Amino acid sequence: MEVDARLRLEDPNYAARMEAIEAFTQEYIANEAGGTRTVVTIPTVVHVVYNTASENISDAQVLSQLEVLNEDFRRLNADASSTLAEFVGVAADCEIEFCLATTDPNGNPTTGITRTSTTKTSFTTDDKVKYTSQGGHDAWDRNSYLNLWVCDLGSGLLGYAQFPGGAAATDGVVCDYQAFGNTGAAAAPFNLGRTATHEVGHWLNLRHIWGDGGCGVDDFCADTPSSDGPNYGCNLGTISCGTKDMVQNYMDYTDDDCMNIFTQDQKSRMQAVLAPGGARYSLLSSDGCGGGGGGGTCDVAGGRTTTGITSSQATLNWSAVPGATSYNVRGRQVGTATWATGSTASTSINYTGLTADTDYEWQVETVCSGGTTSGYSASELFTTAGGGGGGTCTDLGEPNHNKGNA
Ligand SMILES: [Zn+2]
């Protein structure tokens, strides 16, 4: 959460994006969780950044981490049988898998592992490891890949993650080379790959199980007991806030050999991020693991920008999608429940009747021939200009019209 606080300070729009993602998550949980799902496979690239030979971890150590992620997010972990009886009922197969990328962002074959020699003897949460220009390695497109950096994090830090809603250049997870996978340089008690399981949980919008606060602060999951702080080691009998803590949860701070469970509500939060309109939905159409989904798919429009923002309206723009016959657009004030909707064959639309100095979000969905749709994109956010009177009815209209003559 230290990193989350820094993002809030550095990126003035981050808090609004987080708020929009949380509103979307709550709406998804209320309306859609429990519906039919298919297993989602996330193309993953591991960037090994090393100063010493031991930091240049083996392919086997990388592969062992992928294996752990695939076990933990499918509840195929051997220690699932150790989950305390009172929590077995809420344990979840999160139906998320990870594949090492086979195609890089340029369309070339790859092992899914990059290796970068650096003069930096250690990194920290300042994100330098995420930039080639600062001794690390640039992120691959976060819309198509999960970026996992492995380096010497120094000062006892095991790993850190960026929540959905942050900047593209720094999106992903960083792990210390001794807290990654379950072989090679991995060192006890963090040698079973659970640091990455925990951090990828954050990357998919999970909070710490104690909510990063006292008994009254929640992790937005009703099926995890209240807790007043992190647990370390593995004391299965820990009581806080009047109930037994779920110290075996991946989102606590316990040792690797203690952790073995995600819950159903944690699963719903992660599935929301991967659902149509979710912040990481685009990963489902990635070709990073040789999906080869060209031609027959109805893709979400990229190149989404908001222009001409005044106190009462804005123009929403996106790039044309091959095979598209029209586009559905929806927008709303951040934090409200009801979408204003519109449709156009063009690649822009005017969003009018807005209130001054207010945060709005919008999404676009491609309609292809035959009536198939792409599902809505992730939200784009903008803030209307201050001053002036705001309208009371909002409208999405053709770009060559406005509320006055539509
Ligand atoms: Zn954490």
Side-chain angles (χ1 to χ4, degrees), residues 30-243:
N31 298 321
E32 297 174 57
T36 309
R37 297 190 186 92
T38 54
V39 173
V40 171
T41 302
I42 299 177
T44 302
V45 57
V46 176
H47 303 293
V48 178
V49 180
Y50 63 94
N51 179 256
T52 67
S54 59
E55 291 165 15
N56 190 16
I57 63 169
S58 65
D59 286 0
Q61 189 175 344
V62 172
L63 292 170
S64 76
Q65 181 62 70
L66 267 287
E67 207 167 293
V68 170
L69 290 171
N70 283 323
E71 291 169 357
D72 290 351
F73 283 83
R74 293 303 316 273
R75 198 157 172 79
L76 295 171
N77 46 308
D79 53 5
S81 59
S82 302
T83 299
L84 291 179
E86 55 263 61
F87 297 131
V88 166
V90 296
D93 166 6
C94 296
E95 299 183 287
I96 299 168
E97 297 184 357
F98 304 83
C99 57
L100 264 186
T102 55
T103 305
D104 76 9
N106 297 318
N108 296 317
T110 176
T111 59
I113 303 172
T114 72
R115 294 185 182 277
T116 304
S117 173
T118 184
T119 56
K120 285 187 66 72
T121 53
S122 72
F123 292 88
T124 178
T125 54
D126 61 7
D127 285 335
K128 287 195 169 76
V129 74
K130 300 173 180 176
Y131 293 94
T132 303
S133 62
Q134 300 188 58
H137 192 291
D138 289 341
W140 288 9
D141 179 9
R142 58 100 167 261
N143 292 319
S144 296
Y145 304 92
L146 160 61
N147 285 272
L148 283 179
W149 287 269
V150 182
C151 62
D152 184 346
L153 272 176
S155 64
L157 181 64
L158 301 176
Y160 70 98
Q162 183 169 302
F163 286 99
T170 52
D171 200 343
V173 163
V174 184
C175 288
D176 186 83
Y177 74 106
Q178 291 183 301
F180 194 76
N182 61 14
T183 187
F190 305 109
N191 58 339
L192 296 179
R194 263 63 193 260
T195 296
T197 299
H198 174 108
E199 301 303 342
V200 172
H202 283 316
W203 182 78
L204 290 169
N205 209 24
L206 295 190
R207 302 310 175 104
H208 287 136
I209 191 163
W210 68 97
D212 295 293
C215 293
V217 182
D218 197 22
D219 62 352
F220 306 120
C221 293
D223 61 4
T224 58
S226 287
S227 174
D228 61 359
N231 293 295
Y232 300 90
C234 192
N235 182 353
L236 297 180
T238 303
I239 305 275
S240 74
C241 308
T243 53

Side-chain angles (χ1 to χ4, degrees), residues 387-401:
T392 51
C393 75
T394 58
D395 184 39
L396 281 159
E398 295 288 338
N400 55 340
H401 293 74

